[in-house]
Amino acid sequence: MTATIISILNMKGGVGKTTLTTNISVELFNRNKRVLVIDVDPQFNSTQTLMKFFEKKLDTYFDLRDKDKTLARVFKSTNQSRGIGNFKTVATKDSESSIIHTVGSNSLGGVLDIIPGDMGLIVDITDAASDKFRSFIKKNHLKDNYDYILIDCPPTWGQLTSVALSTSDYYLIPTNLDEFSTIGITLLAELLSDKVNSVDKPLKNLGVVYMFLKQNTAEDGIARDQKRFRNDIEEYFTDTMEELVASKVRPFDTVFYSDNYLITKSALYFDEAIEKHRPDYKQKVCDLVDEIQNRLSEGSSKE
């Protein structure tokens, strides 16, 4: 077992990063895969969503946070070295692996674990963060213990996003189809170009998911006033972005629509109320995961 690590990112907020991260992770778990979600976003929305869904409350999260069992612990200055003379440090009672919290498991081998996010991530990140994060993954044999590791990135380009990408095999981009999102993709592509050229292993684009589109009856599923943004962005993928990021950039066939019913509901389409009133959204998640697994299989066959 060697995990595929996928970062879900966009520099724009409100595009569905948490929605995709949590729904993809639950569907993979339902397919009896071993899945780890790492919540790198200081807003820790994926943490809240998964814990509310599986544990029906957030009490566990606050208990973990108070016991220093969130991702922030990884980035803090090491306190386990023996030190010399007056520079001796105090060892911790728990190993770093204690920050991994299981929210779901089944009898067929499926596991869904999470490393909770933390608002402390806003201030705890230093220039050594990337080394600490990669060291954490290696020391705890995370790639050997899971089929998939999904990283929910913050809606900014900074140390946290850079750290996530440095350890990833792929990145997935959710986006809206509007003017600001189109501009955002071009800026993101330029930053990704630098990252792709700086890492010492392949970092590929897994695909782009169109999120929260306007409801419509068009044959291609795209509202008339959003078609020009779709056309512009897909032309940019082939004409410019693919060369910048040294990877194919393809939108997924599965798209998600905005729905007033969902605004005040869980981000998880597996929620009982959503599944009852909007069963097509859960099916869309299944379709998207089918596409993701097919693309990963295609990538493996080419290696």
Side-chain angles (χ1 to χ4, degrees), residues 91-137:
T92 57
K93 294 181 180 179
D94 301 318
S95 67
E96 280 185 333
S97 63
S98 67
I99 68 174
I100 300 172
H101 179 69
T102 300
V103 293
S105 62
N106 64 38
S107 60
L108 297 176
V111 171
L112 181 51
D113 288 347
I114 185 169
I115 298 180
D118 193 321
M119 287 190 69
L121 290 168
I122 297 173
V123 296
D124 285 340
I125 302 305
T126 66
D127 290 338
S130 183
D131 291 339
K132 290 182 178 182
F133 192 60
R134 283 184 289 188
S135 174
F136 169 77
I137 289 175

Side-chain angles (χ1 to χ4, degrees), residues 101-279:
H101 179 69
T102 300
V103 293
S105 62
N106 64 38
S107 60
L108 297 176
V111 171
L112 181 51
D113 288 347
I114 185 169
I115 298 180
D118 193 321
M119 287 190 69
L121 290 168
I122 297 173
V123 296
D124 285 340
I125 302 305
T126 66
D127 290 338
S130 183
D131 291 339
K132 290 182 178 182
F133 192 60
R134 283 184 289 188
S135 174
F136 169 77
I137 289 175
K138 185 176 181 179
K139 284 191 301 182
N140 292 284
H141 310 288
L142 298 190
K143 291 204 71 168
D144 298 326
N145 293 332
Y146 296 96
D147 297 299
Y148 297 92
I149 298 175
L150 305 181
I151 307 178
D152 186 8
C153 298
T156 57
W157 186 276
Q159 280 279 24
L160 288 167
T161 299
S162 181
V163 164
L165 288 170
S166 294
T167 62
S168 297
D169 303 300
Y170 295 90
Y171 56 92
L172 186 154
I173 304 173
T175 187
N176 305 138
L177 286 177
D178 56 37
E179 186 172 1
F180 293 115
S181 296
T182 304
I183 294 171
I185 287 286
T186 62
L187 297 174
L188 179 61
E190 293 171 4
L191 293 166
L192 283 167
S193 178
D194 291 335
K195 174 54 67 174
V196 167
N197 289 316
S198 69
V199 294
D200 55 5
K201 66 184 185 67
L203 174 61
K204 300 294 184 180
N205 178 271
L206 184 56
V208 178
V209 185
Y210 297 144
M211 299 293 294
F212 308 142
L213 302 184
K214 293 180 180 179
Q215 298 279 355
N216 66 89
T217 57
E219 187 175 342
D220 62 359
I222 308 296
R224 181 181 302 174
D225 60 342
Q226 291 186 312
K227 287 185 191 294
R228 68 181 181 93
F229 297 114
R230 191 269 310 272
N231 294 340
D232 287 347
I233 205 170
E234 291 185 6
E235 182 178 343
Y236 177 75
F237 291 162
T238 54
D239 291 352
T240 304
M241 186 170 176
E242 290 184 352
E243 182 177 353
L244 284 173
V245 301
S247 173
K248 293 288 292 183
V249 182
R250 297 177 291 166
F252 287 98
D253 293 331
T254 305
V255 301
F256 293 87
Y257 295 97
S258 178
D259 190 319
N260 289 335
Y261 174 78
L262 300 175
I263 291 175
T264 59
K265 302 295 187 295
S266 169
L268 264 173
Y269 299 148
F270 295 83
D271 179 88
E272 186 176 345
I274 296 176
E275 192 172 350
K276 179 180 179 181
H277 292 89
R278 299 290 190 274

Side-chain angles (χ1 to χ4, degrees), residues 27 31 283 285-295:
E27 175 57 20
R31 297 183 185 195
Q283 183 57 50
V285 175
C286 297
D287 293 342
L288 177 61
V289 171
D290 284 342
E291 287 193 76
I292 288 172
Q293 291 187 313
N294 287 337
R295 289 192 182 186

